[in-house]
Structure formats: C-alpha cells, structure tokens
Amino acid sequence: MQRMTKTISAGLIVCLSLLLWAEGGAGAAGAGGSKMPSVRLPGPAFVALETINPDHIRWHVRYLSHDLLEGRGTGQRGGDIAAEYIATQFAEYGLKPAGDHGTYMQKVPLVGITTLSDTTFALIPKQGETMNLKPLDEYVAYNQTQQVLAEVDADIVFVGYGIEAPEYGWDDYKGVEVKGKVLLMLVNEPASDDPKFFKGKALTYYGRWTYKYEEAVRKGAVGVILVHQTQMASYPWEVVRNSNSGERSALRVEGPALKVASWIHFDVASRLASASGMNLEKMMQDAQSRDFHPVNLGAKLKAHMVSKVRNFESNNVLATLPGADHKMAEEAVIYTAHYDHFGIRPEMPGDNIFNGADDNATGCAILLELARAFGSASQRPRRSILFAAVTAEEQGLLGSEYLGKHPPIPTGKITLDLNYDDVKPLGAPEEVEVSGAERTSFYPEVEATAKEFRLAIRPDARPEAGHFYRSDHFSLARVGIPSFSINEGMKYKGHPESWGLDQEREYVEKHYHQPSDEYHPEMDFVGDSAMARFGFALGWEAAGLPKRIEWQKGDEFEAARAKSQ
Ligand SMILES: [Zn+2]
C-alpha cells in the first residue's frame, strides 16, 4: 500500500490509498520515488490513471509485433489484422466508432507510384548541349499527378529557397508569376542564429522539401527541381537516391499536383548554372538575402514521365469517448499512434518480417491502454476524447495526413493532439520529451504535470534535424491543431544518462527499421506505462480547460489554426 495525495479543481485535498502492482510500483512518477506525486485531476480520473498497467502494454506489444502479423504492412493482410485488433479493443472498452458510416474504420485511399525506365529527363540550357540526365546518379523524379504519362516542356525559374513566410518577412517569389514553370530551388532555409528568424538553427517546416513541393503547387508550377547539397540537406545524395527509387506511396491526389517532383545532383546544378551564364555558388549566396528575386534561367526542362500507378487502401482506426459537458463535448482531445510498419520483404534472405515492436507497437499499446483507462473512468472528461491508430506513417505520415484533412470533428474544435511513436521498453524514465509543447499555450500545464510526475523535461538535442516534422503529430499541427509527441528522455532510473544514449545508439544502428525490432520477454514496460500515465493526465487536463489550446503568437502553425476556427 502506498499513500498518495491529489488536488481537485476546487482546491480540496483528497487522500487515496490504492494498491499498486509490484512491477508498476514506480507508479505515476515512473521515476520511483517513495511518495506518489499529486496530480491535478478529479478523483475518478485519478483512479482510472492508477489502472494503467505495464503488463497491459506488454500484451498488446507482444501480439502486434508477432510474426503472424507479418510486420503490419500498409495495405497488407498483417496491417489489416492489426487494425481489426485495435478496433475490437476499442469496442470492448465501450468507445464509440468514429470512422466511416458508424464503423471504427476510416478508409485511407493510397496510391503507389513507380517511375519507370522509359522516363527521360533533359535540361536544355540557353547555350550548349542538352543535358540528358542519368536516373538515380544525376536525378530522381516522381510524377505526383498519379497519371501513367506526363509531358513537361517548360522554362526553369530559380526561386532561391522557394519560401513564402510572412511571419519572418520572407518571400522568395515576390509575386512573380510561375504558373506552368519548373522551379529550381535549394533545400533547407536561410541560415540564421537568430531564434526569431526561421527559429535560428532549428529547422522549420519551410526548410523541408515537402513544404517546397506544396508551395510550388499552390503557385501553379508544373515541376520542382531541388538542388541537392549534402550540408544543406543534412544527408548525402545516396539517401535521396535510395528514398526515391522504387515505389513511393501517397494519398490519392485530391487537387492539382506536380508532374515532376525531382532532385538533381549538385554537380548537375552547377553545370546547368554555368551553361545559363550563371554561377551556382553566387546564386546560393543571393538566395540568402531578403531581397532575392526569382531568376529565369532561360533554360528548359523537357521530361517524359512514365509511371506505374497502383491503387490500394488501408484504414485509420478511430474511436471516441463523448465528453461529459454537453456543450464542450463537441470539442476534443485526440491521441494518435501509428500502427503500420514495413510488412514482409519476400526477396530478403533470412528473417524478413519487420515486426516493429518498438516502432510502433509500443505507441499503439499505449494508445489502447489510454483508451481502456479513459473508458473505465466512472466520470468522463468535459471535452470528448478521440483515439486514432493511424496507418501508413512509414510511407510518409500518410494516414495522419488523411486524418488531418478528413477529421471526424472539425480541426478547429480539436484542442490538442498527443502522439506516441516508438516508446522504448527500457525501464523507469526520469525524463520526458515533449518537443513542440513549448510552442503551445498548454506548456505551463505540461511543465507542472511533469514536475508532479518527477519527470525532467528533456529539450530536443538536435532541433536542426527537424524531428518535429517526422511523426504523426506534425500532420495535425499543419492543419492547426496544437500537437506534440510524448516520449522518454535518455535518463533512466538506476542508470547514468550515458546508458540511455548507448541504448539509443545501438537501437538506431542495429534495429531501427530492421527485422530485429522484435518483442523480447525481458523488455521492461514500466516506462511505457509512465508515459501513458503522464499523457493521460495531460489529456484529461486539456479536456477540461475553459479555453481551447492555441499555438504561441508568431508560431509557424498559428495561421493554420486561425483558418480552422
Ligand atoms: Zn518508423
């Protein structure tokens, strides 16, 4: 028996004595102090929180990462079995379906595109010879219109970074008409140490290549050519080549799209610039200036795009717990975790099942345990709680992108998204990572709750790597919803920080996105349980706040939030 205190909103102190299971003895703190922390939750919520159990999480992970689920591939049998399992759990917990036509499933239409070898890609400079580029060595290209054939014969305009960011007073386009053009641009964003200018060293979404393609489409361009430079991209050409060969998946296109979405090797870009009477280094320097103006190279791209187009589908699994307050119940807190992984690679010798135990059976298991705990509470939070197990994260956050575009309730009414992705079963954490939370009006509550759970908030070690843009919460942030992921930091109970860092390094080197990311009985899910409890407390608090959560003033997602209201 342990003794714990909590405060309720009225400011009363209530003492509860609850039996704790041996394994989860670290309790809500996760860090394992002898005293339980106080949590600012009403009694019934606290009771429900206390039922969150590492073994429940273990059992879900064990099942979801079993070989019989064949790596939970998107659009594959194993992925569909996982979705059905999750839906069945939601039903058992008494949650209401929030998918299509009164079911738990939200159909996500997907398209696989493979650029075929009949494709040709030629740069035709003002002077000199046509440059017929070699696929993979000199360029990679996809036709995002999802048509089998496309022809492009258009002027190439250099648009610097291709960024229009009013909040930083930056506009590379300067109102120049680029409709029907092919836009040559740089990856990343203008260099800066000033935190008020493109967040200093941190990468903003404007620096990601996905943004650049999207902005070009909004401007009516037919194609984009990204200039690869290792330092600016933060990865070598091989990464561009590997991630752009073979089939690429996308949501079925719903509007205009690029006929050519491409990268060229730096040396090719240099040759093109010279043949256009320019100098690439000088162009890159010019692009650093606020006064940059688009430059028509006088060169053309002539491309004949031949693609294999494969339609398939998968499902997001959605459930809801209606809020207790009849007015606020039309608003919601949403929890997300992706359930897909890479499936099976039949051509691979040896173990070829990508079980994805850590990535992301752990996140799904936490999502399910949260759903169970919320469903079991004798009192419901004021706002509704949505649970979304999303698909096709490994294909580029596609399930969550679809969810953001087709939410079961309007995005403006969703106050917060809490996401879980790859929460390592390594024991009791003493830190929590909530990168992005500091950008929202909810941060004071996050800090206070972390303190009560005796979890130190660990800042993002490498904001310049742009991890914020690489998991599902980002899909919801970009439609305006205040969103962040919850994960453990590096410091675990009974170990120095270096141990946590070693575990992380070993995972990335040996198991990340490999068949060896598998379930082992020795795994310790106490940390997953602590993260679930922490997220439970945050979600319950967010669901009861008088006002909806917002992004901080000047945040890159503020405009999307305003638009959604
Ligand atoms: Zn992954």
Side-chain angles (χ1 to χ4, degrees):
M1 300 282 265
Q2 287 190 33
R3 195 171 175 77
M4 65 205 79
T5 56
K6 65 157 196 76
T7 57
I8 58 174
S9 49
L12 298 168
I13 306 290
V14 176
C15 294
L16 296 170
S17 285
L18 291 175
L19 180 67
L20 292 168
W21 59 93
E23 191 182 6
S34 60
K35 284 227 180 90
M36 294 302 296
S38 71
V39 176
R40 297 169 305 166
L41 297 174
F46 196 75
V47 172
L49 179 149
E50 281 294 310
T51 68
I52 292 176
N53 181 326
D55 275 339
H56 297 166
I57 296 172
R58 173 188 297 281
W59 299 330
H60 292 310
V61 171
R62 182 182 177 279
Y63 178 77
L64 288 168
S65 62
H66 198 282
D67 275 359
L68 287 171
L69 269 79
E70 300 170 347
R72 304 187 307 278
T74 297
Q76 296 175 6
R77 184 172 178 272
D80 293 346
I81 293 173
E84 201 52 58
Y85 174 78
I86 292 163
T88 304
Q89 303 297 320
F90 284 160
E92 190 191 331
Y93 306 150
L95 304 180
K96 286 169 80 171
D100 305 333
H101 318 296
T103 71
Y104 291 102
M105 300 297 177
Q106 177 184 51
K107 197 165 280 176
V108 179
L110 295 158
V111 179
I113 308 158
T114 313
T115 302
L116 300 179
S117 57
D118 295 343
T119 295
T120 59
F121 192 94
L123 302 172
I124 308 168
K126 224 183 322 193
Q127 304 121 12
E129 278 176 37
T130 294
M131 300 159 62
N132 289 302
L133 301 190
K134 270 173 63 188
L136 300 182
D137 290 340
E138 294 184 313
Y139 84 98
V140 293
Y142 277 89
N143 174 0
Q144 296 189 331
T145 65
Q146 303 175 356
Q147 302 293 310
V148 172
L149 285 173
E151 306 295 335
V152 170
D153 185 356
D155 290 346
I156 300 174
V157 180
F158 177 60
V159 293
Y161 287 99
I163 293 174
E164 189 185 324
E167 66 271 41
Y168 301 124
W170 191 273
D171 179 9
D172 285 322
Y173 289 93
K174 303 282 190 307
V176 169
E177 178 65 77
V178 292
K179 207 167 170 194
K181 309 282 194 217
V182 169
L183 308 181
L184 180 72
M185 56 178 93
L186 306 172
V187 289
N188 214 313
E189 58 198 16
S192 155
D193 285 329
D194 176 1
K196 292 213 175 74
F197 184 68
F198 291 99
K199 293 209 192 304
K201 282 199 169 41
L203 186 71
T204 71
Y205 187 51
Y206 294 113
R208 299 268 298 154
W209 52 269
T210 45
Y211 161 78
K212 290 157 195 279
Y213 286 166
E214 289 156 11
E215 190 60 31
V217 170
R218 286 191 283 269
K219 303 276 191 226
V222 294
V224 167
I225 303 173
L226 291 167
V227 178
H228 175 264
Q229 204 225 15
T230 301
Q231 202 192 335
M232 288 166 87
S234 83
Y235 40 80
W237 174 257
E238 286 65 39
V239 172
V240 175
R241 176 166 59 192
N242 292 341
S243 51
N244 287 276
S245 50
E247 188 182 78
R248 260 194 103 115
S249 302
L251 292 182
R252 194 169 300 154
V253 75
E254 294 178 29
L258 298 173
K259 290 180 177 174
V260 169
S262 68
W263 291 73
I264 54 174
H265 195 280
F266 187 78
D267 298 344
V268 175
S270 284
R271 264 158 49 211
L272 174 66
S274 306
S276 307
M278 287 187 277
N279 176 308
L280 185 59
E281 302 283 347
K282 168 85 170 48
M283 287 161 72
M284 287 167 63
Q285 237 166 54
D286 293 347
Q288 292 293 331
S289 164
R290 223 180 260 283
D291 300 325
F292 170 84
H293 214 267
V295 187
N296 194 324
L297 264 61
K300 275 178 176 287
L301 169 69
K302 202 166 161 44
H304 171 65
M305 300 292 299
V306 188
S307 309
K308 190 176 129 200
V309 179
R310 178 177 75 94
N311 289 294
F312 63 108
E313 60 192 29
S314 182
N315 289 290
N316 290 330
V317 193
L318 309 182
T320 186
L321 178 74
D325 181 307
H326 79 282
K327 184 111 190 58
M328 284 166 89
E330 61 181 37
E331 299 182 353
V333 167
I334 185 167
Y335 288 97
T336 49
H338 77 87
Y339 71 84
D340 63 294
H341 202 49
F342 290 105
I344 296 187
R345 301 247 164 103
E347 74 288 355
M348 221 173 121
D351 181 5
N352 56 12
I353 301 174
F354 290 72
N355 306 79
D358 283 11
D359 182 10
N360 184 31
T362 54
C364 280
I366 290 171
L367 182 84
L368 287 173
E369 182 62 351
L370 285 166
R372 189 201 55 72
F374 271 102
S376 76
S378 62
Q379 178 189 320
R380 283 174 287 139
R382 294 169 75 190
R383 289 186 177 84
S384 299
I385 310 287
L386 270 169
F387 299 92
V390 296
T391 187
E393 189 269 355
E394 306 289 10
Q395 312 292 318
L397 316 184
L398 299 180
S400 56
E401 183 185 342
Y402 190 82
L403 178 65
K405 288 176 173 168
H406 305 274
I409 66 168
T411 52
K413 292 197 183 296
I414 301 178
T415 187
L416 177 70
D417 167 45
L418 296 173
N419 183 60
Y420 289 92
D421 193 354
D422 208 331
V423 183
K424 307 258 165 3
L426 294 174
E430 295 180 350
E431 291 179 324
V432 65
E433 277 192 42
V434 286
S435 299
E438 73 286 358
R439 296 162 58 168
T440 72
S441 62
F442 191 47
Y443 197 53
E445 282 83 0
V446 176
E447 280 183 305
T449 306
K451 208 169 167 195
E452 289 182 343
F453 278 73
R454 292 185 210 128
L455 293 164
I457 294 177
R458 187 182 178 93
D460 190 348
R462 287 181 59 238
E464 67 276 15
H467 288 300
F468 185 79
Y469 308 100
R470 295 178 189 188
S471 190
D472 290 305
H473 61 266
F474 168 59
S475 291
L476 301 182
R478 59 191 302 196
V479 294
I481 302 168
S483 308
F484 57 93
S485 284
I486 294 174
N487 212 326
E488 303 150 329
M490 294 297 158
K491 177 77 181 78
Y492 292 84
K493 192 186 168 198
H495 298 283
E497 186 195 42
S498 59
W499 181 84
L501 290 164
D502 286 347
Q503 301 299 308
E504 175 70 14
R505 193 173 321 111
E506 188 181 316
Y507 171 76
V508 170
E509 278 169 14
K510 297 197 185 135
H511 310 301
Y512 175 66
H513 288 187
Q514 303 287 337
S516 61
D517 176 4
E518 303 178 292
Y519 172 74
H520 302 286
E522 316 80 75
M523 286 173 160
D524 180 349
F525 290 91
V526 164
D528 298 76
S529 173
M531 292 298 109
R533 288 172 167 223
F534 178 66
F536 180 95
L538 288 184
W540 194 294
E541 277 189 73
L545 289 178
K547 279 192 178 162
R548 280 198 298 265
I549 296 165
E550 303 299 339
W551 293 99
Q552 299 285 4
K553 260 203 151 11
D555 193 273
E556 63 187 305
F557 302 114
E558 191 190 12
R561 185 63 160 172
K563 215 176 111 192
S564 73
Q565 302 288 324

